[in-house]
Amino acid sequence: MVGNQVSLKIRQGFILVFLLIVAMPTLFVSIGNAYRASLIEATEKTLEAHLYSLISEVEYSEQGVEMPRSILAPELNRVTSDTYAMIYNGDQQLWQSESALNIDFKPDLFIAETGKSDFRMVTHKGKKYWQLSLTGILGNLDQDIEARFILVKSNDGILRLMEGFKETSINWMLIMGVVITVLMIIGFFWSSRPLHRLDKEIKAIESGDSMSIKGHYPVELQTIKADLNLLLESQQRQKERYRASLSDLAHALKTPLAVLKSSPLAQDSDAQEQLDRINVMIEHQLKRAATGASDTWKKQTLIKPVADSIFNAMSKVYRDKNIQFNVEVNDKHFFLGDKTDLMELLGNLVDNACKACESQVSLKVVQIKKRLRLIIEDDGPGVPEQKRELLLQRGTRLDSYESGHGVGMAIVADLVKGYHGHLTIGDSPLGGALFELEFDYQETT
């Protein structure tokens, strides 16, 4: 699945982007709203304190409402203050604080129940204010009146505090964003170091420099380490048992075959042919059973040394044909498997090409990342299209086809299948057959 193939770096990046773009701004917006609510609550408490201060100082006489020249709340005594106090009887203003002398402010004279306070935002001439009002009874021995105490505070003060808070919040958000980014990058590299070390040890095993994983790893990777080592040990034991059994079998069959081939009965051409066929079949089955393609763990084998060895041998075997060999392979191309298997694959195909060719044999190796292609061509008669499928079918007598495509193709087909590769047969630009082996290690590792 595509989702499972997303790299750890991309996943970490998604988390970081989520924190920086979604989580942190949401957090700071929530803090800002909480701070604004606390400012509004503080404003209400301040106005309540001023209100009760006014109520404690007000007196009512025949001349009307009387207040001390200097009241307890200093904010109401300053002309430049943004807090105002007024007392109304119906629509008639009975008193106003010195801070309200130079402003033209008409409070919201809504009907309120006597003895209950009301706190709300009001708008006057496009500006916003916070208004706290309380209706009470003022009176003396002769009469009493219903008086409305009104305290007003401009919203500009809250806006200024909020602007300062936003500026500070943005600065802190940028600082925290940088700090979180740096910490997450450091944390990613720190947590991924064991994976890099494990990858290096696995590559060392693939290249044959090591036989097991020996490093110290966190608890989460200890089980993987133990399982891999167990797998490697099991594979090694299995290969040793195969080699011992096959060696015994090979030695056991050698003597009977040698006796039969040297007996008078073997002088008959048909009998000799059948003995040769039995010998080839035994070798094929032994190699198939011992193939490295059945290994759980595959090692990298450089292709160039193997190809050079094979073509050097072919140039001697087919010296009389004066074959022109064309080899395109560099020092970095590798086969993910056993060296013996690679020699078997190339040896059989190149040998067949040499048998079938007129004068040219070509090997071209193409490797892009973990996709490997081996292309063997010749200028011989080629393989008829209607026989190509039969040539690769299991159990077909392959030696009945054109010269150069004999029983070795069965070995090649089995090896390619064991390595989960693909073998295709086509026409070569040289005029003969084209055999292409393709291995996709991304699928098999």
Side-chain angles (χ1 to χ4, degrees):
M1 294 178 63
V2 177
N4 294 332
Q5 296 176 351
V6 178
S7 72
L8 294 178
K9 291 181 180 179
I10 295 178
R11 297 183 187 193
Q12 193 83 358
F14 281 146
I15 296 174
L16 181 59
V17 169
F18 176 80
L19 286 175
L20 296 181
I21 296 180
V22 179
M24 284 186 58
T26 302
L27 175 63
F28 278 96
V29 168
S30 301
I31 294 174
N33 291 336
Y35 181 66
R36 183 175 182 275
S38 67
L39 290 177
I40 294 173
E41 184 179 1
T43 299
E44 182 180 6
K45 297 299 181 184
T46 301
L47 294 181
E48 280 184 357
H50 295 338
L51 174 64
Y52 295 129
S53 175
L54 287 179
I55 293 174
S56 66
E57 296 183 11
V58 67
E59 293 183 4
Y60 182 72
S61 62
E62 294 180 357
Q63 287 76 25
V65 173
E66 296 181 358
M67 294 287 291
R69 185 170 182 83
S70 179
I71 57 181
L72 293 176
E75 291 183 56
L76 301 177
N77 294 324
R78 295 197 311 268
V79 178
T80 57
S81 175
D82 63 349
T83 305
Y84 323 115
M86 288 154 277
I87 301 177
Y88 275 80
N89 179 18
D91 294 336
Q92 180 184 4
Q93 186 181 77
L94 303 179
W95 176 85
Q96 65 179 3
S97 63
E98 291 187 14
S99 60
L101 293 177
N102 296 327
I103 65 165
D104 179 19
F105 180 84
K106 180 69 173 177
D108 190 356
L109 299 174
F110 53 87
I111 300 174
E113 186 178 347
T114 302
K116 289 189 176 180
S117 62
D118 181 86
F119 179 73
R120 66 175 64 186
M121 175 177 278
V122 297
T123 303
H124 180 69
K125 294 184 179 181
K127 292 188 66 176
K128 295 181 178 179
Y129 299 85
W130 292 99
Q131 176 178 305
L132 177 67
S133 59
L134 176 67
T135 301
I137 304 297
L138 292 181
N140 51 34
L141 295 176
D142 298 325
Q143 64 176 354
D144 53 29
I145 60 171
E146 186 178 70
R148 185 174 299 167
F149 294 85
I150 299 174
L151 274 296
V152 179
K153 187 175 180 63
S154 174
N155 191 52
D156 292 344
I158 294 179
L159 292 178
R160 285 192 299 270
L161 292 173
M162 285 300 300
E163 287 297 323
F165 175 79
K166 287 181 181 178
E167 183 177 350
T168 304
S169 297
I170 291 174
N171 293 335
W172 274 105
M173 186 168 67
L174 293 175
I175 294 172
M176 290 182 65
V178 172
V179 171
I180 289 175
T181 302
V182 171
L183 289 177
M184 289 195 69
I185 292 174
I186 294 174
F188 173 78
F189 282 107
W190 185 36
S191 59
S192 62
R193 280 182 62 189
L195 296 176
H196 290 303
R197 285 192 283 114
L198 182 61
D199 182 58
K200 286 183 179 179
E201 289 210 59
I202 291 175
K203 288 181 178 177
I205 294 172
E206 289 179 348
S207 62
D209 296 332
S210 179
M211 296 300 295
S212 64
I213 299 173
K214 303 174 182 178
H216 298 285
Y217 294 96
V219 176
E220 293 80 2
L221 296 180
Q222 286 294 338
T223 302
I224 296 177
K225 173 188 171 182
D227 290 344
L228 288 176
N229 282 333
L230 184 63
L231 188 64
L232 288 168
E233 293 172 5
S234 174
Q235 180 220 7
Q236 188 63 29
R237 288 194 300 269
Q238 186 179 27
K239 287 182 67 176
E240 289 174 357
R241 286 197 301 269
Y242 274 140
R243 287 170 182 167
S245 300
L246 292 174
S247 178
D248 294 342
L249 180 61
H251 283 86
L253 292 173
K254 268 183 182 179
T255 302
L257 277 175
V259 171
L260 287 173
K261 292 185 73 173
S262 62
S263 68
L265 295 175
Q267 301 303 317
D268 181 74
S269 58
D270 291 336
Q272 185 68 43
E273 180 184 354
Q274 296 303 317
L275 287 174
D276 290 338
R277 182 177 298 280
I278 291 172
N279 188 46
V280 171
M281 294 288 289
I282 290 172
E283 288 183 2
H284 166 51
Q285 294 301 328
L286 291 176
K287 288 176 181 177
R288 180 186 171 208
T291 177
S294 63
D295 290 348
T296 308
W297 204 275
K298 304 181 181 69
K299 298 179 180 179
Q300 292 183 7
T301 299
L302 293 178
I303 298 174
K304 192 174 189 307
V306 175
D308 290 343
S309 174
I310 290 173
F311 279 98
N312 184 49
M314 293 299 155
S315 65
K316 296 176 181 178
V317 174
Y318 298 96
R319 183 185 298 107
D320 296 338
K321 296 188 73 170
N322 196 23
I323 301 173
Q324 178 185 347
F325 296 109
N326 180 25
V327 182
E328 296 181 30
V329 56
N330 66 39
D331 296 332
K332 295 183 179 179
H333 290 153
F334 67 88
F335 172 73
L336 196 61
D338 190 75
K339 181 179 179 180
T340 305
D341 293 335
L342 178 61
M343 293 188 70
E344 194 70 40
L345 286 169
L346 291 180
N348 276 292
L349 291 175
V350 172
D351 184 44
N352 288 340
C354 290
K355 290 176 182 177
C357 76
E358 294 292 334
S359 61
Q360 294 186 64
V361 173
S362 169
L363 168 65
K364 183 179 181 181
V365 180
V366 179
Q367 189 164 37
I368 302 175
K369 294 184 178 179
K370 289 195 173 184
R371 187 182 294 272
L372 174 67
R373 292 169 60 216
L374 304 170
I375 303 168
I376 298 93
E377 303 173 75
D378 63 67
D379 61 349
V383 179
E385 188 173 353
Q386 65 272 19
K387 293 184 178 181
R388 291 172 186 172
E389 291 296 328
L390 293 175
L391 186 62
L392 302 178
Q393 282 183 6
R394 181 182 182 90
T396 303
R397 291 191 56 177
L398 303 174
D399 57 344
S400 64
Y401 293 117
E402 298 292 337
S403 174
H405 304 292
V407 74
M409 284 303 302
I411 299 173
V412 172
D414 283 346
L415 283 171
V416 171
K417 183 178 180 181
Y419 279 101
H420 306 286
H422 300 281
L423 170 60
T424 55
I425 305 174
D427 296 321
S428 168
L430 300 177
L434 181 150
F435 289 82
E436 180 176 339
L437 308 177
E438 184 174 0
F439 303 95
D440 189 353
Y441 302 136
Q442 192 69 43
E443 295 178 357
T444 59
T445 56

